[in-house]
Amino acid sequence: MKLKIAVVQFKTRKFIPEENIPFVEEFIKKASKSKADLIVFPEAFLSRNCSFKKEFSSSEKIGLNKIKEFAKKYKISIIAGSIIEYLNKKKHNTSYYINNKGKIKGKYQKEHLWINEKGFIKKGKHTTMISINHIKIGLILCWDLIFPEIFRDLEKKGAEIIICPANWSYQDARAGLKYSKDSEVKLIDSICIERAFEEEIILVFCNTAGNTINKKLKNTSVGHSQITEPFKGVIKKLNHNKETMFIHEIDTSILKDAEKAYKIKKDIFNK
């Protein structure tokens, strides 16, 4: 099965969702004109989660409603990166799948929280599967990428593609920067290929772009949004952190050949 995916390496202009919505719409419009089936935005793309205050949640909800309108208007399915939402007085970092009729058909609450999220965000407990054009797709967020267990859980549910919106910066290496200023680039590039091979899936990694400054701390996004597959490794990648979009049609038939060659799924599921 084939699926044409638009991946947006998005730059958050201001930490106010309403300020970013016009730029979001422009990318959606372009992807629709190019006949993409699905467009993916990064984690925290409307506000970069620079504040976990409750007013951000209501503002991001307004942004989510606008994106639902865009999905219907431009007749394209959307992975709306993630927003901070309040449920039962708990904050979650949540990704939404909106179909081309503007309906929410899936949501995922981040399970593996980054260091700065712990204490603010409640982690999710369940993986999420969606279906587009009869292709089974699993959703994860950013730091989930590090943990193969979540991939295995989605595999057992039949995932062929796993989509990972992220907000990943050079500075995430912290003390590791003294060893290599490109530590996070190396981490992302290597693990995106590794996950595709070891899990026999197609991985879509969608990161943020540019810089943000919050409380005098500068964060520079790694960028490097990419799609990886078994056998081929990287089939499309941005080797920078600038704002742009690429569109690529993937074919899941390669996964059958990967299983014939390696029989990884057979070994996993027979245990």
Side-chain angles (χ1 to χ4, degrees):
M1 299 293 292
K2 295 182 179 180
L3 189 70
K4 197 171 185 180
I5 301 179
V7 176
V8 183
Q9 194 160 278
F10 189 78
K11 178 182 179 180
T12 307
R13 269 76 181 170
K14 295 182 180 179
F15 307 145
I16 305 170
E18 291 91 333
E19 296 287 338
N20 297 297
I21 285 296
F23 301 96
V24 170
E25 182 178 14
E26 193 60 32
F27 278 114
I28 293 171
K29 184 178 179 180
K30 289 179 181 178
S32 177
K33 285 185 176 180
S34 298
K35 306 298 182 183
D37 300 299
L38 172 69
I39 184 169
V40 182
F41 287 92
E43 181 187 37
F45 68 114
L46 291 180
S47 68
R48 286 283 184 102
N49 292 354
C50 289
S51 170
F52 293 114
K53 295 179 180 178
K54 194 166 185 177
E55 54 263 32
F56 263 68
S57 178
S58 59
S59 187
E60 288 192 303
K61 276 289 187 183
I62 293 170
L64 181 65
N65 288 333
K66 290 296 295 183
I67 292 169
K68 288 165 61 178
E69 293 175 13
F70 298 153
K72 184 177 180 180
K73 178 179 178 180
Y74 296 107
K75 297 180 175 59
I76 186 171
S77 296
I78 301 171
I79 300 297
S82 76
I83 66 170
I84 297 299
E85 64 173 2
Y86 278 70
L87 293 172
N88 300 319
K89 297 182 179 180
K90 301 288 185 180
K91 307 183 196 76
H92 292 274
N93 189 350
T94 306
S95 182
Y96 280 91
Y97 163 55
I98 302 163
N99 71 7
N100 57 13
K101 294 180 174 61
K103 303 293 184 182
I104 292 175
K105 290 295 183 178
K107 61 184 289 187
Y108 167 68
Q109 295 172 334
K110 188 174 184 179
E111 180 179 351
H112 298 97
L113 303 180
W114 176 238
I115 297 164
N116 294 348
E117 293 176 308
K118 293 178 180 179
F120 295 98
I121 303 295
K122 182 177 175 60
K123 73 175 186 176
K125 296 180 179 179
H126 305 289
T127 52
T128 298
M129 289 285 297
I130 63 176
S131 179
I132 304 175
N133 296 352
H134 306 292
I135 297 174
K136 293 182 178 180
I137 300 172
L139 298 181
I140 64 174
L141 281 171
C142 203
W143 197 234
D144 286 327
L145 184 68
I146 297 296
F147 300 89
E149 296 84 0
I150 196 169
F151 283 80
R152 293 288 165 93
D153 187 44
L154 289 166
E155 271 189 279
K156 288 177 181 179
K157 294 178 180 179
E160 299 164 275
I161 301 170
I162 294 180
I163 296 177
C164 181
N167 179 20
W168 211 304
S169 300
Y170 282 90
Q171 289 78 15
D172 290 340
R174 302 187 179 214
L177 288 171
K178 67 184 178 183
Y179 301 104
S180 173
K181 64 181 180 62
D182 291 324
S183 173
E184 298 306 292
V185 172
K186 295 171 184 175
L187 172 58
I188 289 169
D189 285 350
S190 61
I191 208 162
C192 282
I193 294 175
E194 179 183 356
R195 291 287 175 260
F197 273 84
E198 74 179 8
E199 310 299 341
E200 293 177 349
I201 52 92
I202 297 171
L203 175 64
V204 179
F205 177 79
C206 178
N207 202 12
T208 47
N211 304 313
T212 60
I213 299 176
N214 183 38
K215 295 180 180 179
K216 297 183 180 180
L217 294 176
K218 182 179 179 180
N219 281 294
T220 304
S221 177
V222 172
H224 279 238
S225 298
Q226 57 192 281
I227 299 177
T228 57
E229 293 182 349
F231 300 127
K232 296 180 181 179
V234 175
I235 59 173
K236 190 75 176 181
K237 182 170 75 170
L238 301 174
N239 287 302
H240 56 72
N241 71 345
K242 298 175 184 177
E243 183 178 64
T244 190
M245 176 179 73
F246 69 77
I247 299 175
H248 191 82
E249 185 174 66
I250 58 178
D251 188 342
T252 61
S253 63
I254 194 173
L255 302 179
K256 293 181 180 179
D257 289 328
E259 176 60 14
K260 286 179 183 177
Y262 303 126
K263 295 182 170 43
I264 294 173
K265 286 186 171 64
K266 181 179 180 181
D267 287 341
I268 294 170
F269 299 149
N270 283 346
K271 288 185 177 181

